[in-house]
Amino acid sequence: MNDFDGNNKYGFKANENEEWFEVHASAVTNTNPGSMVHVTINTDKICPNMSNRDFRDMVLKCRDRAIGYVETRLKDLARWSAADQERVRTWFGYCDESARSRLTSGLTSIVRVLRGLTGDNFVRWEPDTARYLGCVPNPVKSGVVAEVCAPDTKTHTIAIHVDFCSMRDFSWDKDSMISTLIHEASHFQDTMGTKDWKYFMDKCLSWGPTNPDRAIDNADSIAGYVIYNA
């Protein structure tokens, strides 16, 4: 925590560019004789090429942009013009009221989750992260840049792989930090509970019309519908 008064009587250097960690919510000094508070703090960087503070600033700016793109699609779904319906058909193979309802509900939930994310929701990926959140760990796959545990609707933790750190922040037709945030948020069971049936937005574009049962439940198809050449 870093909101101490600069003139506090305990002498904390509140104005330094440091990260503070709260040990006791209501005490500064441990007054129990002979007792100790053992604290384990992981100070490893989420991204090796920047401080954790810089990472959080960056990823939350991407989060804000992701929210804006999702909200644009929600406006399309509310308007439901011929062009809006055709975009849904292009990505998911059909554009009836069930598709419209599914997307409206799901994207609204994705906005809710994205808006609720803070810097604390992002952690460095480690082999036991998934197990800690209640999932069976997946083997590390080449190209995986982030990971969530879909049932983790309490913390919405997003584990960041090192490859995320070198991604472009945005692209209309390629994977990016912003598309990744939408992709990962769609996995949570309180948003859309999507799967990874197919990767890469450009490949999902041609795959969707022939796989309508899976496309609307595919994370990269959702990200592509929101962003691709928008």
Side-chain angles (χ1 to χ4, degrees), residues 26-92:
S26 60
V28 173
T29 303
N30 180 9
T31 59
N32 297 320
S35 68
M36 298 181 67
V37 176
H38 297 277
V39 180
T40 300
I41 299 174
N42 185 349
T43 59
D44 291 336
K45 293 179 179 179
I46 295 175
C47 283
N49 56 339
M50 67 185 78
S51 70
N52 285 346
R53 180 185 295 274
D54 288 342
F55 169 81
R56 289 169 182 143
D57 288 345
M58 174 197 69
V59 80
L60 292 181
K61 289 177 182 176
C62 289
R63 175 210 61 183
D64 291 343
R65 292 180 65 186
I67 290 171
Y69 292 123
V70 177
E71 288 181 332
T72 294
R73 293 297 165 230
L74 283 169
K75 292 176 183 177
D76 293 350
L77 291 165
R79 181 177 55 202
W80 207 229
S81 68
D84 300 327
Q85 294 178 46
E86 185 57 31
R87 184 176 182 89
V88 171
R89 188 195 309 276
T90 297
W91 282 96
F92 307 111

Side-chain angles (χ1 to χ4, degrees), residues 59-184:
V59 80
L60 292 181
K61 289 177 182 176
C62 289
R63 175 210 61 183
D64 291 343
R65 292 180 65 186
I67 290 171
Y69 292 123
V70 177
E71 288 181 332
T72 294
R73 293 297 165 230
L74 283 169
K75 292 176 183 177
D76 293 350
L77 291 165
R79 181 177 55 202
W80 207 229
S81 68
D84 300 327
Q85 294 178 46
E86 185 57 31
R87 184 176 182 89
V88 171
R89 188 195 309 276
T90 297
W91 282 96
F92 307 111
Y94 65 109
C95 61
D96 61 11
E97 279 300 319
S98 67
R100 184 188 187 190
S101 176
R102 167 84 167 128
L103 290 168
T104 299
S105 174
L107 295 187
T108 299
S109 296
I110 287 173
V111 167
R112 171 181 52 79
V113 168
L114 288 173
R115 202 181 299 280
L117 296 179
T118 69
D120 292 337
N121 292 92
F122 299 90
V123 301
R124 191 181 66 147
W125 182 91
E126 294 181 351
D128 289 333
T129 302
R131 184 178 291 108
Y132 174 77
L133 296 172
C135 285
V136 176
N138 291 322
V140 178
K141 299 178 182 178
S142 176
V144 173
V145 296
E147 186 176 345
V148 302
C149 178
D152 174 34
T153 58
K154 181 177 181 180
T155 72
H156 294 122
T157 295
I158 300 178
I160 300 297
H161 288 249
V162 67
D163 287 348
F164 181 92
C165 305
S166 57
M167 293 185 82
R168 59 181 72 85
D169 62 345
F170 180 74
S171 169
W172 291 116
D173 56 5
K174 298 289 191 301
D175 288 344
S176 66
M177 291 182 178
I178 290 173
S179 71
T180 297
L181 294 181
I182 297 169
H183 173 119
E184 297 301 334

